Amino acid sequence: MEFDGKIALVTGAASGIGLAVATGLAEGGARVYFTDINEENGRAAVGQLGANSSATFLRVDVTSAESVEAARALIAERHGALDILVNAAGWSKVERFVDTTPDLWQRLVELNYLGTVRMTHAFLPPMIERSRGKIVHVSSDAARAGSGGEAVYSGAKGAVVSFTKAIARETARYGLNVNCVCPGPTETPLLASIPEKQRAALMRAIPFRRFGKPSEVADAVLFFASSKADYLTGQVLSVSGGLTMAS
């Protein structure tokens, strides 16, 4: 897919799905801001693209209003507005709900839901002013089916799905596209943190009998970010090897 001349920003771009999305956009010709709190991995990812790439690493903490505002101001000064915003930052901890704490709830909601809200609130107005722009949120199939040991994470990601639809309805009159991708179990640092016994059970539940690759999820995100999805908004696409077959 071609993204020549597009200005894009991807959160959670230092690893996993966010890294695959940001790399795909850059390889497609976009000027991409790789954003994350992990500066070492983020800068290394940008460096691997080579000297001819226009990719830039920008440290952004989506749980911090001040950090998000600093990113908004920088983009406004340099470019006026984004063409593409991908909210891919996320994190979870597998633990029985009865064993979790309010501090963990807050962290999960701040990163997995409110981070998406903050970034969208910051970068949406210039898109509306120009009557163009594409926003893609990365949620999770846990939002659609629930995930044992991830009750609050599932709820936060479910909120992202509803938020996607609401913003899509508000912005369709301006010609904006707002869509959502829900990955199933994918080969990311998050999946690697789950005990082997649980990973094996997850794999057995997937009709394809394998985990997804970050690049496979990224392909769905890139589609929504491309001109091929100009007539799509408010849509939710699962990329899960058939684990979730939502109607």
Side-chain angles (χ1 to χ4, degrees), residues 139-147 153-161 180 182-183 236:
S139 177
S140 168
D141 256 8
R144 311 187 84 170
S147 177
Y153 172 81
S154 298
K157 288 299 192 179
V160 171
V161 171
C180 183
C182 286
V236 181

Side-chain angles (χ1 to χ4, degrees), residues 83-94:
D83 296 298
I84 300 165
L85 170 64
V86 179
N87 287 306
W91 175 82
S92 185
K93 180 180 181 181
V94 178

Side-chain angles (χ1 to χ4, degrees), residues 3 34 57 62 74 101 119 150 169 187 212:
F3 298 101
F34 285 57
F57 175 76
V62 300
L74 183 145
T101 65
M119 292 296 291
E150 294 181 300
R169 288 190 182 277
E187 294 173 350

Side-chain angles (χ1 to χ4, degrees), residues 154-212:
S154 298
K157 288 299 192 179
V160 171
V161 171
S162 296
F163 180 68
T164 299
K165 293 175 179 290
I167 297 302
R169 288 190 182 277
E170 288 190 16
T171 60
R173 72 189 67 180
Y174 306 109
L176 274 59
N177 306 88
V178 185
N179 293 291
C180 183
V181 172
C182 286
T186 305
E187 294 173 350
T188 64
L190 175 59
L191 182 66
S193 70
I194 298 175
E196 176 59 33
K197 185 176 179 180
Q198 289 177 269
R199 291 203 304 274
L202 270 175
M203 186 177 290
R204 288 194 298 271
I206 299 171
F208 279 168
R209 296 295 190 271
R210 68 173 178 85
F211 296 131

